[in-house]
Amino acid sequence: NQVDRTNYLVTAVPCRQTRVRGKTKMTTVHNFGVSPISCHSWSGDRKSLALSQNSNEVTLFSSSGSDWKQTGLLDQHDLRVTSIDWAPKTNRIVTCSSDRNAYVWVLDDNAVWKKTLVLLRINRAATCVRWSPEENKFAVGSGAKIISICYHEKEFDGWVSKHIKKPMQSTVTSIDWHPNNILIAAGSTDFKVRVFSSFVKDVEARPSPTEWGSKMPMGYLMKEFSNSSAGGGWVHAVSFSPDGSKLAWAGHDS
């Protein structure tokens, strides 16, 4: 007879490996109950954690000895939260959701997280979000075949966006930033990985040439790769190397 093990499954988030007195400490496991963790992000000091358990809420935790204590709740989204990113330098959190919205959350002097709605201007679910290395921009991928490059507009005193559209033919599933804060890699369900320029002249200086090219106007396609020689499947993750000279990705057919 088959045994139903559903009630015995736990959801855990591993920490990075650390070295203690010359020895590698094994990855630790933290239990946050039986509900699935759909997305999470660590704070810069890795003492706090933001996670969403397949719902429209983001729960904040801080480490307390060997346990975790809930310290906040971000509950403005109407539908399931799809991605979270916690900026390590500015301590700002950005969240996006199937409700087609994104919020930037800032901790005020009273230890309350204040939200600002981001004008994404998309008509499908937001699927992934990442802060740029300098944290003056972030990118949001979506089911609208669009990447929204978001930045703070001083006159408007809010977060606005510019769109990267062509030649994407399907949902953007993953994004990663080049170290120069300009280039962005995107994987999508059209079996392609692309590198674009996200240069926004209002917030940054003109970029220097890179291995990916020297012409970098906003939305310019620097490079396009097929997932595999056979075409491949959906692209689930993309990542630049630390120096930005190489790009790796994981596909559904891997």
Side-chain angles (χ1 to χ4, degrees):
N1 294 331
Q2 288 186 341
V3 178
D4 183 1
R5 302 180 184 275
T6 303
N7 292 333
Y8 300 97
L9 296 177
V10 297
T11 303
V13 177
C15 293
R16 288 178 178 171
Q17 283 191 346
T18 56
R19 295 190 64 82
V20 180
R21 295 182 180 178
K23 297 180 179 180
T24 300
K25 183 180 178 181
M26 295 300 294
T27 298
T28 57
V29 177
H30 309 288
N31 179 12
F32 294 95
V34 297
S35 298
I37 295 176
S38 50
C39 52
H40 74 281
S41 184
W42 296 92
S43 63
D45 59 9
R46 304 189 70 79
K47 295 180 179 179
S48 297
L49 176 67
L51 61 85
S52 182
Q53 295 183 282
N54 204 35
S55 72
N56 65 327
E57 298 179 339
V58 175
T59 308
L60 306 181
F61 294 92
S62 292
S63 59
S64 178
S66 60
D67 203 359
W68 291 86
K69 178 182 178 183
Q70 182 175 336
T71 56
L73 184 68
L74 314 181
D75 59 355
Q76 289 301 306
H77 285 290
D78 296 325
L79 298 176
R80 184 173 66 91
V81 174
T82 53
S83 188
I84 310 165
D85 200 22
W86 198 328
K89 301 174 185 176
T90 58
N91 199 41
R92 295 183 297 207
I93 299 174
V94 61
T95 61
C96 69
S97 163
S98 296
D99 63 10
R100 301 172 295 171
N101 290 323
Y103 288 97
V104 174
W105 304 82
V106 178
L107 191 63
D108 67 13
D109 295 335
N110 297 318
V112 176
W113 288 94
K114 297 294 186 180
K115 69 182 184 302
T116 302
L117 178 65
V118 183
L119 299 179
L120 294 180
R121 300 181 293 116
I122 57 177
N123 60 7
R124 295 291 187 274
T127 54
C128 49
V129 61
R130 290 292 179 271
W131 285 103
S132 69
E134 294 183 11
E135 300 175 15
N136 60 342
K137 302 185 294 185
F138 59 88
V140 180
S142 71
K145 300 180 286 187
I146 287 172
I147 303 172
S148 299
I149 304 299
C150 307
Y151 60 99
H152 193 267
E153 176 62 62
K154 292 182 179 179
E155 293 184 7
F156 175 68
D157 192 25
W159 293 87
V160 297
S161 63
K162 293 181 180 290
H163 285 171
I164 298 175
K165 297 180 180 180
K166 297 179 179 180
M168 289 177 288
Q169 300 297 316
S170 193
T171 299
V172 178
T173 55
S174 55
I175 47 183
D176 191 43
W177 286 90
H178 188 277
N180 74 350
N181 206 69
I182 302 295
L183 302 183
I184 187 168
S188 63
T189 56
D190 62 3
F191 311 165
K192 301 289 186 180
V193 176
R194 300 177 176 93
V195 178
F196 294 99
S197 170
S198 70
F199 173 58
V200 179
K201 63 180 181 180
D202 296 337
V203 297
E204 53 202 346
R206 188 170 297 278
S208 302
T210 71
E211 301 88 348
W212 302 93
S214 57
K215 185 179 179 181
M216 287 180 269
M218 176 66 188
Y220 186 74
L221 178 63
M222 310 294 293
K223 202 75 175 179
E224 180 180 276
F225 305 94
S226 292
N227 183 25
S228 71
S229 58
W234 295 2
V235 178
H236 291 295
V238 293
S239 181
F240 278 108
S241 60
D243 65 357
S245 62
K246 298 178 179 64
L247 180 65
W249 64 84
H252 198 69
D253 63 339
S254 298

